[in-house]
Amino acid sequence: LRGLGFDDTHLGNSRTTDFEAQFLTATDGHGMDVVLDSLAKEFVDASLRLLPHGGRFLEIGKTDIRDRDQIAQQYPGVAYQAFDLMEAGPDRIQEIWAELVALFEAGALTPPPITAWDISHAPDALRYLSQAQQTGKTLLTLPRGLDPEGTVLITGATGTLGSLLAHHLVTHHNVRHLLLTS
């Protein structure tokens, strides 16, 4: 965002509720016209208080959806809407996806960076996520599938389990080269 010209006055940290005071100060108490929210608990309340003169609050999160009438009583003039993409219906969702694909293909949109972790390093990946320093998507990868042209070694294969595993590999994974040892 800094690369797009935003200064620190217009950037906040959603890991604490300090963003509320920061943005109210930056706007001389006027706050925001629209809040697009995916936070929860006291962070939702801090975001709602950023609409002191009314405005629209669009909830896109799933963990802390509030009652619209209670919000209207507690925050006069604020229009609260919880958004669920599925409400758009399958036809509209298909149109949206088609438009997005076209924008990605044209280079008008670029996907966020992806940080991939082998599933064997899941604890490290979760620790990384807990530090909230990532940008983009973080994902776990699974080992590649079995190569039907490769050889699979099954140790302890002369028993019932070994023969069941060998049969499964042949019938469900198209493996043709097995090395069975006892």
Side-chain angles (χ1 to χ4, degrees):
L1 292 173
R2 284 183 184 91
L4 294 172
F6 287 87
D7 59 24
D8 287 343
T9 305
H10 295 88
L11 297 174
N13 179 351
S14 64
R15 301 295 178 200
T16 73
T17 57
D18 293 346
F19 65 86
E20 177 188 358
Q22 177 187 346
F23 289 148
L24 285 174
T25 299
T27 61
D28 294 323
H30 290 87
M32 307 296 165
D33 296 317
V34 177
V35 171
L36 180 64
D37 183 82
S38 63
L39 302 173
K41 299 180 183 173
E42 67 273 12
F43 297 91
V44 172
D45 298 310
S47 298
L48 281 162
R49 290 189 297 267
L50 285 171
L51 299 164
H53 303 289
R56 298 181 185 277
F57 188 97
L58 184 60
E59 179 60 68
I60 60 172
K62 301 294 181 201
T63 59
D64 192 3
I65 296 175
R66 307 283 176 96
D67 180 82
R68 177 187 303 210
D69 294 333
Q70 287 179 343
I71 295 296
Q73 288 178 354
Q74 193 172 357
Y75 301 94
V78 171
Y80 178 90
Q81 175 68 46
F83 176 77
D84 187 341
L85 180 61
M86 299 315 290
E87 292 174 4
D91 293 338
R92 180 63 183 132
I93 292 171
Q94 184 176 6
E95 291 172 10
I96 292 168
W97 280 114
E99 290 177 34
L100 286 170
V101 167
L103 289 169
F104 278 107
E105 288 175 344
L109 293 177
T110 55
I114 295 173
T115 303
W117 299 74
D118 185 274
I119 195 149
S120 64
H121 298 285
D124 295 329
L126 291 172
R127 196 170 354 327
Y128 171 76
L129 282 173
S130 74
Q131 296 169 358
Q133 299 298 313
Q134 77 279 1
T135 299
K137 300 296 179 185
T138 302
L139 58 95
L140 296 173
T141 59
L142 297 172
R144 64 180 174 87
L146 296 173
D147 178 2
E149 298 303 316
T151 301
V152 175
L153 168 66
I154 303 176
T155 59
T158 58
T160 304
L161 268 172
S163 67
L164 287 172
L165 176 59
H167 183 264
H168 176 79
L169 290 171
V170 170
T171 58
H172 290 88
H173 296 279
N174 207 25
V175 172
R176 295 293 176 247
H177 306 282
L178 296 167
L179 179 59
L180 310 175
T181 63
S182 171

